[in-house]
Amino acid sequence: MLASSDAFRREANLIGGQWVGADSGAVIEVTNPATGEKIGTVPNAGRAETARAIDAAQKAFESFRKTSVLERSKMLRRLHDAIMDNQEALARLLSTEQGKSLAEARGEVAFSAGYVLWFAEQARRIYGEVVPSPWADRRILVTREPVGVIAAITPWNFPSSMLARKLGPALAAGCTAVVKPASQTPYSGLAWGVMAEEAGIPAGVINIVTGSAAEIGAELTSNPIVKKITFTGSTEVGKKLMAAAAGTVKKVSMELGGNAPFIVFDDADLDRAIAGAMIAKYRNSGQTCVCTNRFIVQAGIHDRFVERLAEESNRLKVGNGLEEGTQQGPLIDMKAVETVESFVADAVAKGGRVVAGGRRHALGGTFFEPTVIAGANTQMRFAREEIFGPLSPVFKVDSEEEAVALANDTEYGLACYFYTQDLGRAFRVMEGLKYGLIGVNEGLITTVEAPFGGLKESGIGKEGGHQGIDDYLDAKYVCLGGLGL
C-alpha cells in the first residue's frame, strides 16, 4: 500500500515501462484551482514521444493478446485492489488538482475501481458463436479478438473514472493502450501507471503521455498502429478527432457534450425533485457532461420549485475541496468563471431574473456562487450551449408536449431527467425523449452495470455495461471446410 498522494504524483511519462521526461525537457505547470498554487510539473511531450509510446504498446500487445482471460481478469482484480487500498491518497491528489470536494473525489476513485472490477468480470464473458451452417460439410465460427493498440484521451473533470471506463474494457479485451490525460489534471492519469505497476500489469501495456494536445492527438489519430480512439470531451474536439481518425479508418468511441434537460411535471414529488436537482446540477460544481443544463418546469409547480431550488442553492457550502464539509469547490480555471459570468449577463439582458447567486464567490479565485435564474427562454445562450458551471436556468412550460419538445430541441442527446408520479406519463415521456441516458425520478443514474453513452451529437458507442467492451473487439468469421462430414 502506498502511503500518501505524493507517492502517486509522478512528474514523468510512462513509456514502455520507463518513467521519462519530454525529449526537449519542456514541462507544463499544474496548479491547484482552489488556491492558485503550483502543485508541480509534467512533461510537455509531443509527436516523437507519442510515437514511441505507440511502438511500446504494439510490442507489448504481441504478448499481452495471448494472455488468457483468467490472467487478465486477475490483473484487473489486483488493479481494483490497488485503487481501493489507496482510495484516500488518490482522492486527495484528485481534489488537489481538480478542485472537487473530497467527498466527491473519494466517490470518483471508488467508481473507478468499480469499473475495473466490472470489466475484470466481463473479461471472462467475451463469447463467440457457432452459427448453424447452410452447408452440410462446413462449420461456421464467429470469434472476437482484441482490436490492438488503443488511444484513450480523457478530460479534466473526471480524470480518474473516465480513464477507468476506457482502460478497464481495453485490458479485459487484451488490448494495450496509450493514454493522453488532460493537462489541467494529469496526475490522476499518471497515477494509473503507478497502480498498474503495483498490480503487476506488464510493461508497455499502459503508456501515459502528457503534453501538447494538438501534437499528441495528431500522432494518435494518424499512426496506423493505433486501431481505436476513445475520447471523452467536447463535441467540437470529438468531431475533429473523428475526421482525423478517418484517414486510417480507426474505430472510434466518443462521449461528447450535453445539454441535459431536467423536467418537473405538476404531479412530481417536489421534495424528491429538489433533491435530485441538487445532485444533477451541482455535482462537481456543475462541471459534468450529464449535469442539468436546463430545468423545464410545468407552470403548476414552477414557482414552488424555483423558491426551493434557490433556498437549497444558497445553502451549499462553497470552499476548498480538501476541507471536510465542502459541497462545491472552485471552477477549473478563470476561463470557466468568465464563461459562466457571460451566461448570466446574457440571460439578464434577455429578461432572466437572478434569484440566487449570480456572482463570483467572496472566496475569490475561481469560486462562483451557486446560481438560479428564473424566466429563462430559448433566446438565451444556455438554451443551446453547454454551461459547465453552477448555473441553474429555469424554463416555464404549460404542457407535457411542450416540455418534451423543448427538451429535445438541441443537437445533443446525452442525459436527461424528469419527475412525475403518473405511470402513463413516465412511459410516454421516456419514449419521447431522444437521449441515451434517462433518469425517471432520479438525479444520479450512472452505474458500471449499465451502458453510458449519448445519441445525436453527444457521441458514438457505449461505456460500461456488457456493451462497454464491444468496441475493443473485432468479430472474425471463420468457415471451416474439408471436414469430411
Side-chain angles (χ1 to χ4, degrees), residues 158-455:
F158 287 92
S160 181
S161 61
M162 296 301 100
L163 188 48
R165 288 178 176 173
K166 304 176 190 308
L167 285 181
L171 271 59
C175 299
T176 56
V178 178
V179 174
K180 196 287 180 188
S183 294
Q184 297 102 317
T185 56
Y187 293 125
S188 291
L190 290 164
W192 280 78
V194 181
M195 292 185 291
E197 291 177 332
E198 187 176 334
I201 293 173
V205 171
I206 297 175
N207 304 273
I208 307 170
V209 185
T210 60
S212 167
E215 288 196 29
I216 294 172
E219 184 63 31
L220 293 175
T221 52
S222 64
N223 194 310
I225 294 174
V226 176
K227 301 304 181 186
K228 171 183 166 60
I229 302 283
T230 173
F231 169 73
T232 298
S234 71
T235 297
E236 178 185 10
V237 174
K239 289 178 178 179
K240 292 178 180 178
L241 290 171
M242 290 174 69
T248 48
V249 196
K250 301 184 191 304
K251 281 193 172 189
V252 296
S253 57
M254 301 276 153
E255 198 265 281
L256 307 176
N259 190 344
F262 187 110
I263 306 171
V264 184
F265 291 107
D266 284 345
D267 63 349
D269 179 328
L270 182 58
D271 291 338
R272 190 176 186 90
I274 289 295
M278 297 302 292
I279 295 171
K281 176 66 245 184
Y282 295 115
R283 187 162 62 101
N284 199 24
S285 302
Q287 300 173 119
T288 91
C289 53
V290 296
C291 267
T292 299
N293 211 70
R294 298 167 293 153
F295 285 98
I296 299 170
V297 185
Q298 201 168 5
I301 201 172
H302 174 273
D303 291 352
R304 286 180 292 149
F305 180 85
V306 169
E307 181 182 3
R308 288 283 305 281
L309 183 63
E311 289 174 355
E312 295 301 320
S313 298
N314 285 330
R315 288 194 182 102
L316 285 174
K317 181 181 177 181
V318 180
N320 188 321
L322 291 173
E323 297 174 1
E324 289 290 349
T326 292
Q327 295 170 289
Q328 180 180 293
L331 298 186
I332 190 64
D333 54 28
M334 192 53 67
K335 181 181 178 182
V337 173
E338 292 168 353
T339 298
V340 175
E341 279 186 321
S342 70
F343 279 124
V344 174
D346 172 75
V348 170
K350 294 172 181 174
R353 179 169 56 91
V354 176
V355 293
R359 300 180 299 274
R360 299 187 187 192
H361 198 277
L363 289 171
T366 60
F367 291 95
F368 202 90
E369 295 177 340
T371 298
V372 179
I373 293 181
N377 62 62
T378 57
Q379 301 307 307
M380 297 173 184
R381 283 176 48 208
F382 45 53
R384 311 299 307 180
E385 300 176 35
E386 192 170 19
I387 295 170
F388 242 63
L391 169 58
S392 300
V394 185
F395 297 72
K396 183 191 288 188
V397 295
D398 291 317
S399 67
E400 176 184 314
E401 294 75 17
E402 185 183 359
V404 172
L406 181 57
N408 283 334
D409 186 21
T410 172
E411 65 269 30
Y412 298 109
L414 184 54
C416 65
Y417 314 90
F418 69 90
Y419 281 71
T420 181
Q421 296 185 81
D422 182 319
L423 184 59
R425 170 176 278 169
F427 277 94
R428 287 194 305 273
V429 175
M430 174 186 68
E431 293 169 2
L433 290 167
K434 193 67 173 175
Y435 287 84
L437 310 170
I438 300 178
V440 184
N441 297 323
E442 294 291 345
L444 182 62
I445 60 174
T446 308
T447 180
V448 302
E449 294 85 359
F452 185 103
L455 308 178

